Amino acid sequence: MMFAFEALGSISFQSLFLEPLSHEFMRRALLVSALVGGVCGLLSCYMTLKGWALMGDAVSHAVMPGVVVAYALGLPFSIGAFVFGVGSVALIGFVKQKSRIKEDTVIGLVFTGFFALGLVLVSKVKSNIDLMHILFGSPLGISVGDLHQTIIISGIVVATLVFFRRDLLLYCFDPTHARSIGINTGVLHYLLLSVLSLAAVAGLQTVGIILVVAMLITPGATAYLLTDRFDRMTLLAVISSSLSSVFGVYISFWSDIETGGSIVLVQTVLFLFAFLFAPRYGILKLQRFDV
Amino acid sequence: MNQFSMTSHQEVLTGIEADQICVDYNGTVALYDASLKLSSGTICGLVGMNGAGKSTFFKALMGFVRPSRGTIRINGVSVGRAQREQAVAYVPQSEGVDCSFPVSVWDVVMMGRYGAMNLLRIPRESDRKAVLHSLERVDLVDLRHRPIGTLSGGQRKRAFLARAIAQRASVLLLDEPFTGVDVRTEKLMADLFSQFRREGRTILVSTHDLSHVRNFCDLVVLINKTVLAYGKTSEVFTAENLTMTFGGLPPNLLKGPIASD
Ligand SMILES: Nc1ncnc2c1ncn2[C@@H]1O[C@H](COP(=O)(O)OP(=O)(O)O)[C@@H](O)[C@H]1O
Ligand SMILES: [Mg+2]
């Protein structure tokens, strides 16, 4: 990378990567983006394997009214988001069970309802929330308080995912077997959903509510094309997600473009590379594998 | 109803005891008054038509569907406790798993050991030995590093059987393990089940192939929404009972010699 830029002559590694670090807001933005990228990348492995992309989308939108209410009440926004995130999923489960409507319809119905409620609340509740910041994220303008909250949330999410990593993998792969060996899958289900709500709040900081779902599925999907081993998949997802977040922030800084969009675009480009060039599962199959 | 009386008056400490189980799906009865008593060291065949309630019976025994009536004890304790104690292993009719999952055969079989591990599920030497031994028993050692999705249907069945073996459970519930496997695997499984019996385990296995029942089942349960006949294979496996089980259509296999040990 460095050489490529140096070849351009006028632009140096120094000016591209180090100079932005002299700004406090850039250091903060890079830290929070790398952290959130890594956390969401880790979770995205479970989301893609469990087939929870739509659920991720639902939860990330449903946290919106929670954020608004929490701000209005002066609570940490993560608490409100958590309550509404888990609440929306409980509601989805309830409506699905009690009616004949199909699950994807129920999910779409509930999350748009919650999201609309959030929009209405933002316009009515007196607070200093910037709607654009919630919808599109603003890592370049993150406050110290939000930074601390994000670090705590990330810690909880990572600790949970690492501690229960085998159980969650088993739960995603074969819940029937998990139950038959006496594991409480109900607990795992809600654990994963809670972690999803928290990660959505963290992701909201960098890319905003609308694009959070990309953070929760794209890195997992990219990694899934590159390996057949779960441990490697998580590693690849975390690395690709953190790197794209950092690059996204830099690109946004250099060229003054919207940060959330820039982060997700880098992720999407990485996915496209994997889609085309992945050794075994890429459509171009550059390397031959004989199994 | 034909009752097998050898164990009915003695306390069963190891094995399966199901007493008058009724299961319905949203009001549609799938199973009623189904009772069963199996002690250790027996292989029991569960035979019935499609839709007779075989899978439902297994699910009830595992607590996956809640019986509206009746009690189930495994090794003398509740199903939930038996599961937590790794006393019971279940291989469903179809695993219903996503086989493009990034796990190897080894990983899958290791999942059979999770219940016996600590909370972090870090395998000990004994767990690795158990997995290797289970893979040996189903003849899959050479394929242990392969992603589960690259196995053939029959190999996959063996992998899930190995996972059940790795649990070292004393009660094994196998729902149609022979469906869709080749003759060699069939033979391997039949031999395995006989070994399990010698090891003193209790095995309940559903099958469509009546010759299997004749060859290695000590007991047989004929069901069609309820237990039609139950007892020693030699006594229960009669043309008359089978005709009743299969709704008046005697299966072709009935022409073969009936039960002989
Ligand atoms: N989840 C379910 N919901 C509703 N009905 C079911 C369900 N599972 C099974 N059944 C019904 O219960 C009966 C028994 O099914 P099953 O136990 O799968 O039979 P078998 O395994 O002997 O073929 C069938 O009539 C089937 O349609
Ligand atoms: Mg069945």
Side-chain angles (χ1 to χ4, degrees), chain A residues 211-222:
Chain A
L211 287 178
V212 138
V213 65
M215 304 282 288
L216 294 172
I217 54 178
T218 312
T222 306

Side-chain angles (χ1 to χ4, degrees), chain B residues 25 30 49-56 93:
Chain B
Y25 293 106
M49 300 189 288
N50 287 330
K54 301 184 293 295
S55 299
T56 302
Q93 183 170 2

Side-chain angles (χ1 to χ4, degrees), chain B residues 79-94:
Chain B
V79 176
R81 188 163 151 209
Q83 286 169 340
R84 284 192 295 279
E85 290 171 355
Q86 307 305 308
V88 51
Y90 167 57
V91 182
Q93 183 170 2
S94 60

